[in-house]
Amino acid sequence: MSNRIAFVTGATSGFGRAIATRFAKQGWRVFASGRRMDRLEALRAELGDAIHPLCFDIRDSDAIHAAIAGLPQDFRTIDLLVNNAGLALGTAPAQKADPAQWRQMIETNVLGLVNLTHALLPRLIEARGTIINISSIAATYPYTGGNVYGGTKAFVSQFSLGLRSDLHGSGVRVTSIEPGLAETEFTLVRTGGNQQASDDLYRGTDPITGDDIAEAAWWIANLPPHLNINRLEVMPTSQSFAGFQFHRENQA
Ligand code: NDP
Ligand code: 8X3
């Protein structure tokens, strides 16, 4: 087994599960976090001792610190942090959106991510490690109903660049991966469990998969140390850009 160590958040589903699986299968030890302990235990049952489940809600900064304080002594350094845990809630335009959903997205995608990163930075610096932040194309391209979700991802992308600047000379690399349409549990969560809506969105699109993003993360983490991918925007071939919209007053 390799002595390289990854910390992957949101490892109970989707991208995070695929990334944790990929690295564990390649011999890394993986701290796999999420709120659903049954899924973390299933991952450990499937992949063995390479997986170290850490069950906490990333919105709870005390829980983050308790989880890190509880890491075994021989796992002092962290070679790779994948900040993947996150979610979108709702697709309503801002004027109809639910502020409680906005809060949850900000607390998870922004505050959770920065708190965990801050807590692990000393270990990442000691290891001259790599940080991969999972942002989104929604960071760059606005769409109706994307409002706060897109805002949180714009934060993730810009925070990634800011980290690069702050970590200048430390040897720590920082990448923001910005995926487009990807079939995970993302849409099920976003729509409050509407399987039909999720199936309808992905039908016929040949979307990005968790394994595709795991492949990208594996490539980034294993590049020679002198190379840093700043941002990696990934779409399925079936997805591209639409034009601006225009509202015209007083048209018959
Ligand atoms: P999933 O819903 O499949 O996975 C989301 C993961 O985030 C789960 O493991 C979930 O774990 C975890 N998570 C959510 N909230 C919390 C919380 N409060 N505390 C701890 N963990 C939490 O979706 P994806 O795999 O698609 O999403 C992963 C990332 O990718 C997200 O940041 C998302 O914004 C981003 N993304 C997704 C795209 C897509 O189209 N699918 C495209 C671009 C970016 P648990 O519920 O067990 O806590
Ligand atoms: C998820 C991609 O386009 O649904 O981040 O917002 S999108």
Side-chain angles (χ1 to χ4, degrees):
M1 185 179 278
S2 145
N3 55 7
R4 299 182 80 189
I5 297 169
F7 196 120
V8 181
T9 68
T12 58
S13 173
F15 296 161
R17 189 181 196 289
I19 293 166
T21 301
R22 175 68 181 264
F23 281 77
K25 281 190 173 168
Q26 297 291 337
W28 287 50
R29 302 185 210 191
V30 180
F31 290 110
S33 81
R35 291 166 298 178
R36 287 170 288 181
M37 191 56 181
D38 55 333
R39 292 205 183 187
L40 295 173
E41 277 170 351
L43 203 58
R44 186 179 170 90
E46 182 188 333
L47 296 164
D49 291 345
I51 296 288
H52 302 265
L54 292 175
C55 188
F56 62 87
D57 187 324
I58 205 160
R59 291 172 293 172
D60 179 347
S61 62
D62 290 342
I64 289 177
H65 287 286
I68 291 171
L71 296 183
Q73 270 307 314
D74 54 331
F75 294 132
R76 263 206 57 70
T77 57
I78 302 284
D79 298 288
L80 172 68
L81 168 61
V82 184
N83 277 316
N84 163 76
L87 78 175
L89 293 171
T91 53
Q95 60 274 26
K96 293 187 177 156
D98 175 357
Q101 293 190 327
W102 282 4
R103 173 184 284 271
Q104 186 173 346
M105 288 189 277
I106 293 166
E107 287 181 349
T108 308
N109 302 358
V110 176
L111 286 174
L113 184 147
V114 299
N115 285 334
L116 182 68
T117 303
H118 186 261
L120 288 179
L121 270 175
R123 294 166 188 256
L124 285 154
I125 291 167
E126 197 176 330
R128 299 174 74 81
T130 300
I131 301 171
I132 297 177
N133 292 326
I134 306 295
S135 176
S136 167
I137 59 162
T140 306
Y141 309 101
Y143 58 89
T144 306
N147 43 67
V148 165
Y149 177 69
T152 65
K153 291 304 182 176
F155 176 90
V156 173
S157 293
Q158 192 63 20
F159 180 59
S160 304
L161 295 176
L163 275 177
R164 278 228 68 212
S165 180
D166 288 356
L167 291 164
H168 184 77
S170 70
V172 176
R173 301 186 287 185
V174 187
T175 299
S176 155
I177 301 184
E178 301 173 359
L181 187 77
E183 186 163 11
T184 60
E185 293 178 17
F186 178 83
T187 301
L188 206 56
V189 171
R190 184 171 212 169
T191 59
N194 187 337
Q195 187 66 57
Q196 189 61 50
S198 179
D199 293 346
D200 286 349
L201 178 63
Y202 300 120
R203 189 182 336 101
T205 62
D206 203 2
I208 296 170
T209 66
D211 287 342
D212 295 328
I213 298 303
E215 176 69 22
W218 179 254
W219 173 66
I220 288 162
N222 288 286
L223 283 168
H226 68 285
L227 294 176
N228 191 104
I229 305 299
N230 296 335
R231 318 170 75 129
L232 183 67
E233 189 179 293
V234 187
M235 287 182 187
T237 309
S238 62
Q239 183 176 32
S240 65
F241 318 96
F244 291 104
Q245 55 187 341
F246 302 95
H247 171 73
R248 294 187 171 84
E249 295 286 354
N250 304 323
Q251 297 297 303

